[in-house]
Amino acid sequence: MPERDGDQHDDGTERVEPVPPARTDDLSKFVSQGMEYYLAGRFAFLQHAHIAANLFHHGVELLLKYALLRDAHEGAAPPNYGHDLRRLWRDFKARDQSRASLARFDGVVADLDDWEHIRYPGFRRSQISGRAVAQAMTLLPYGRGAYADFGGREVDAYVLCLEDIDDLVSSIVTAASINPKVLLIHLSPDAVDWYHRENRHRMELRRHP
């Protein structure tokens, strides 16, 4: 790895720090890694693990970035989206008038983006009481339904519905004109089976030979 001049060590010798190599984005990796995150999220969800939400967030984020980078004007600098799923979603819908119907997922994307707030362990401190605010994390296989009633208590509620995520990913793939038959072809048959489990919005995938 290339090196650059830095400060000095305690013994007076020059400290040399690594310089990150120049980066060229491979857009196909956005799709393959996005689907791997999504598939890992499904596995985690079906094991009742809350980290499923963060894996889904990464997966959806990469798929949206793929579509936006692919369709960007040549030579134009891409916006710095960071991990802002709401902004990515807004721009993805705006790129094509035929995507107006995707507004039905606005709430799903907002719910998923909220989980990024607890990507690292910890609690939000209440501006009212100064105490840590309790968290309620709910994983639902089908249908979000009504939010729980916390009796007026200040609670950070996070909801993740697997059916909504499956529907969202399938709809992004369709809207972005991504060929579903090549999405998971590099993974094992067992991995593809996990994709099919309890999935009401399955895409037609090509099986691993």
Side-chain angles (χ1 to χ4, degrees):
M1 178 178 290
E3 297 181 338
R4 67 183 177 201
D5 295 340
D7 299 327
Q8 290 186 336
H9 291 287
D10 292 339
D11 61 3
T13 58
E14 186 177 11
R15 176 182 295 151
V16 179
E17 298 179 357
V19 175
R23 176 185 176 92
T24 301
D25 289 326
D26 180 354
L27 291 187
S28 66
K29 292 294 186 182
F30 280 69
V31 176
S32 61
Q33 291 183 11
M35 289 302 295
E36 288 175 11
Y37 272 121
Y38 164 59
L39 186 61
R42 293 196 93 260
F43 178 85
F45 184 100
L46 294 171
Q47 309 306 314
H48 311 290
H50 289 137
I51 62 167
N54 302 106
L55 294 168
F56 283 144
H57 189 289
H58 288 319
V60 171
E61 177 186 330
L62 286 172
L63 291 175
L64 292 176
K65 285 181 175 178
Y66 162 78
L68 290 168
L69 288 170
R70 181 198 61 188
D71 299 339
H73 296 295
E74 186 174 355
N80 182 14
Y81 289 106
H83 303 294
D84 190 340
L85 214 56
R86 286 174 169 87
R87 188 174 167 217
L88 282 162
W89 180 243
R90 181 198 66 201
D91 287 1
F92 176 74
K93 290 185 299 176
R95 284 290 175 88
D96 193 321
Q97 291 182 347
S98 67
R99 297 174 183 172
S101 63
L102 294 176
R104 69 186 187 276
F105 293 110
D106 287 354
V108 177
V109 172
D111 281 349
L112 183 58
D113 198 36
D114 284 342
W115 286 86
E116 190 71 4
H117 300 160
I118 51 174
R119 183 178 182 182
Y120 299 102
F123 296 87
R124 177 176 64 86
R125 189 169 297 279
S126 172
Q127 294 182 348
I128 300 173
S129 66
R131 298 177 179 177
V133 177
Q135 295 172 350
M137 293 176 278
T138 304
L139 304 183
L140 301 171
Y142 308 113
R144 289 191 297 166
Y147 283 94
D149 182 2
F150 298 105
R153 291 182 297 135
E154 188 178 6
V155 175
D156 282 344
Y158 300 90
V159 179
L160 181 68
C161 174
L162 180 61
E163 181 182 11
D164 286 345
I165 299 298
D166 288 335
D167 194 7
L168 172 64
V169 170
S170 177
S171 297
I172 290 173
V173 167
T174 299
S177 301
I178 300 171
N179 181 3
K181 291 185 180 298
V182 300
L183 290 176
L184 301 179
I185 193 171
H186 63 293
L187 299 179
S188 70
D190 287 341
V192 179
D193 286 341
W194 277 103
Y195 167 75
H196 284 89
R197 292 192 187 190
E198 299 186 34
N199 190 341
R200 295 180 175 180
H201 302 277
R202 293 189 296 269
M203 295 175 283
E204 190 63 35
L205 304 177
R206 183 181 298 165
R207 292 282 183 166
H208 192 285

